[in-house]
Amino acid sequence: MRNPFGHAEPAAGPERSAGPEPRRGRGPRRLPLRSPLAVACGALPALAFPAPGLWWWAYVCLVPWLLLVRTAPGARRAALDGWCGGVGFLLAVHHWLLPSVHVFLLVMAVLLGLLWLPWGVLVRALLGGTPSPARAAAALCAVPSGWLLIELVRSWEGLGGPWGLLGASQWEVPVALRLASVGGVWLVSLLVVAVNTAVVLLVAAPGLRSVGVAGLAACALVAGTAMWGVGAPRTSGSVRVAMVQPGVFGGPEGAGRRLDRAVELTRGLSGQRLDLVVWGESGVGRDPAGDPALAARLTALARAVDAPLLVNVDARRADRPGIYKSALLFGPDGPTGDRYDKMRLVPFGEYVPARGLLGWATSVGKAAEEDRRRGTAPVVMRLPDGGRGLTVGPLVCFESAFPDMSRRLAGDGAEMIVVQSATSTFQNGWAPAQHASLAALRAAETGRPVVHATLTGTSAAYGPDGRRVGPAVGTDASTAVVRELPLSGTTTVYARWGDWPLYGAFVVVGAVCAAAGAGTLRRPAPGRRGRRARTGRG
């Protein structure tokens, strides 16, 4: 009997060798040790992301996990190794959520870890034993494609969003940024996993080292073509943007003190010839539309610095029920009327999924006491004359993790993307640096400069090629900084063609499954093959 991928199963029949029954205790007793080992192997990729930021580690971080899965004694054990590794990966990459969501982090990791079950089976099917050249070549394409489909599924907002995509660990590597301009963060992830798979072939299959070398050469060719064959975005002018980071202010009076500090820092920017001043997420705690005094104060501030002011309001809207997180634009003559309401909300942080069932989460962690309301459409804002008519596409915090949102804004005519964020809840963890790094990928993908302004750090700005402009503002700073960013009208390959690597991944995985079903990728059963039996007809 053979399973769908062609692995030989023990033959049933009366012929058994004589002698005592083999002892069956030791193997199963050792197998449970694989589960914690798989969890540990799955956690290793976290070191490639900020704050450790060992970007080079991403190209070998999956090797221990792949080597473990390929030695699984059966498909069921390989699936379990994949699941346990997925749990370890999610726990390590999202560990900074623990103070806020408590036990839900483990529940999330266990449930989402199930996505790696079929990936474990796929890895063992293609890399297990002594792979044939055909299976090894298929593994170089299918193992990365399977990983990419996992990233796609868990990128759905309801499952936590696309945080910790493996390609995002390469945010400061120039060649990876150029790859992102061609195929988004998806193409970077694909290449990173392909390199890991080729290294496994070099280490574990001595007879197939030529296939591993060919895989590494192909990856180098793709990267080199992107680096030297795809031009950097052509610049056309520049824009001067100020990021105001007031810092951490806790306690009942924290919101008011934070607003006062932001006003003070903004006034200090007077005379600096600015095109835009950006505040972080939730910098304003009341809706100016229902508070004329607050609206007048913000208008006077924009007039004082002679530049438009983009603020972020976390409050009940004056014209409709519910709490919204909204980007509002003020010019020297008052509010422009442009308003963007956040569309994609953070599960548990800004709303509780299935609140009737999971509402008790508010008593365990820092889950939202009341669900925020969602916006319905992206908005591209045109700055008043002081901003030279520049068009800006705002995103709010969590939304910068989604490649499709910034791509949509660029397609709608945004010349610059602005992210308003607040990560004060995770001030002492890896989250602020990880969040700021995502803006580099969004800039490279769209060919548009991206400003990532926060309340408490890390604030940073990136040019249209994804490279950071000036130093980042750390979490211990309360300041306002000015960055002059190049503008570009270049349309990147990713902006034009979108998520084509994902479509390719579907095709590859489907083709491998079809080939396995047809027996093309079968491997021979262990041991010597017996002579063919003769029938009565010869």
Side-chain angles (χ1 to χ4, degrees):
M1 296 290 292
R2 297 178 183 270
N3 67 21
F5 279 100
H7 292 293
E9 303 291 347
E15 296 183 9
R16 292 176 176 239
S17 59
E21 279 289 320
R23 294 182 63 183
R24 297 184 178 180
R26 293 186 181 181
R29 277 201 297 267
R30 286 197 298 266
L31 284 179
L33 296 177
R34 293 181 64 98
S35 296
L37 183 58
V39 171
C41 290
L44 292 176
L47 298 176
F49 295 90
L54 306 176
W55 64 266
W56 51 268
W57 174 244
Y59 294 95
V60 292
C61 66
L62 297 179
V63 171
W65 189 4
L66 290 168
L67 291 174
L68 180 70
V69 174
R70 72 177 291 275
T71 61
R76 204 177 309 178
R77 181 66 239 188
L80 185 57
D81 289 343
W83 183 15
C84 291
V87 172
F89 176 82
L90 294 169
L91 287 175
V93 172
H94 298 86
H95 73 275
W96 44 269
L97 282 171
L98 191 59
S100 296
V101 299
H102 297 288
V103 68
F104 279 102
L105 179 60
L106 180 59
V107 174
M108 177 204 75
V110 169
L111 293 178
L112 290 183
L114 292 169
L115 295 173
W116 278 269
L117 276 171
W119 187 74
V121 177
L122 179 69
V123 169
R124 180 183 180 274
L126 296 177
L127 293 176
T130 302
S132 65
R135 282 202 295 127
L140 286 171
C141 298
V143 172
S145 297
W147 181 278
L148 203 61
L149 296 185
I150 295 171
E151 291 196 334
L152 171 64
V153 173
R154 71 182 186 88
S155 293
W156 179 48
E157 173 197 346
L159 295 180
W163 196 284
L165 303 184
L166 198 55
S169 66
Q170 306 302 293
W171 67 278
E172 56 184 344
V173 180
V175 65
L177 293 172
R178 200 63 57 83
L179 279 169
S181 74
V182 176
V185 67
W186 313 113
L187 183 58
V188 184
S189 287
L190 199 68
L191 193 75
V192 169
V193 183
V195 171
N196 278 268
T197 307
V199 172
V200 169
L201 288 173
L202 289 175
V203 171
L208 294 172
R209 283 176 179 162
S210 58
V211 180
V213 170
L216 291 176
C219 291
L221 179 62
V222 170
T225 301
M227 187 65 189
W228 290 286
V230 179
R234 295 183 301 274
T235 58
S236 54
S238 62
V239 59
R240 285 175 60 82
V241 182
M243 299 179 289
V244 177
Q245 181 176 301
V248 178
F249 293 91
E253 306 297 326
R257 294 172 59 200
R258 187 165 54 241
L259 176 61
D260 291 341
R261 178 59 175 162
V263 169
E264 176 187 358
L265 291 170
T266 303
R267 287 192 182 279
L269 296 168
S270 179
Q272 297 205 33
R273 298 182 297 105
L274 299 172
D275 296 305
L276 179 64
V277 178
V278 183
W279 286 12
E281 180 189 16
S282 306
V284 179
R286 303 186 306 278
D287 188 357
D291 190 334
L294 177 59
R297 187 182 186 188
L298 295 174
T299 299
L301 195 59
R303 189 179 304 120
V305 296
D306 193 27
L309 173 63
L310 186 67
V311 302
N312 190 273
V313 177
D314 185 2
R316 296 186 184 280
R317 284 191 59 159
D319 58 344
R320 64 183 65 174
I323 301 175
Y324 289 81
K325 286 193 174 182
S326 308
L328 274 70
L329 186 63
F330 284 81
D333 299 325
T336 64
D338 291 316
R339 180 176 192 135
Y340 168 67
D341 296 321
K342 186 176 184 180
M343 297 170 61
R344 295 184 182 173
L345 305 177
V346 180
F348 294 102
E350 293 170 337
Y351 77 102
V352 176
R355 184 175 285 274
L357 179 64
L358 301 175
W360 56 273
T362 58
S363 62
V364 177
K366 299 178 181 178
E369 295 290 343
E370 180 180 347
D371 292 348
R372 267 47 175 185
R373 303 293 182 90
R374 300 173 186 272
T376 57
V379 174
V380 174
M381 302 177 178
R382 183 170 294 277
L383 303 185
D385 291 342
R388 297 179 299 164
L390 185 74
T391 52
V392 170
L395 296 173
V396 182
C397 199
F398 179 57
E399 294 178 325
S400 70
F402 294 87
D404 66 299
M405 296 198 72
S406 53
R407 176 173 174 260
R408 168 72 183 273
L409 289 172
D412 288 346
E415 298 171 85
M416 181 173 65
I417 296 169
V418 175
V419 182
Q420 296 174 298
S421 177
T423 52
S424 54
T425 305
F426 316 106
Q427 192 74 0
N428 298 317
W430 294 1
Q434 286 186 17
H435 196 187
S437 71
L438 297 177
L441 274 300
R442 304 294 86 86
E445 290 166 346
T446 60
R448 300 292 180 267
V450 177
V451 174
H452 182 88
T454 72
L455 287 181
T456 59
T458 301
S459 296
Y462 302 87
D465 59 357
R467 301 196 189 196
R468 193 171 62 200
V469 177
V473 182
T475 56
D476 57 347
S478 175
T479 185
V481 297
V482 178
R483 298 286 183 260
E484 184 162 354
L485 303 175
L487 295 171
S488 175
T490 301
T491 301
T492 64
V493 176
Y494 177 73
R496 180 179 288 112
W497 296 105
D499 302 325
W500 63 266
L502 294 172
Y503 308 140
F506 274 110
V507 171
V508 168
V509 172
V512 167
C513 290
T520 306
L521 298 178
R522 287 179 180 174
R523 58 177 178 172
R528 184 177 177 181
R529 189 171 180 178
R531 294 180 60 187
R532 184 176 178 181
R534 295 177 62 86
T535 65
R537 296 188 178 186

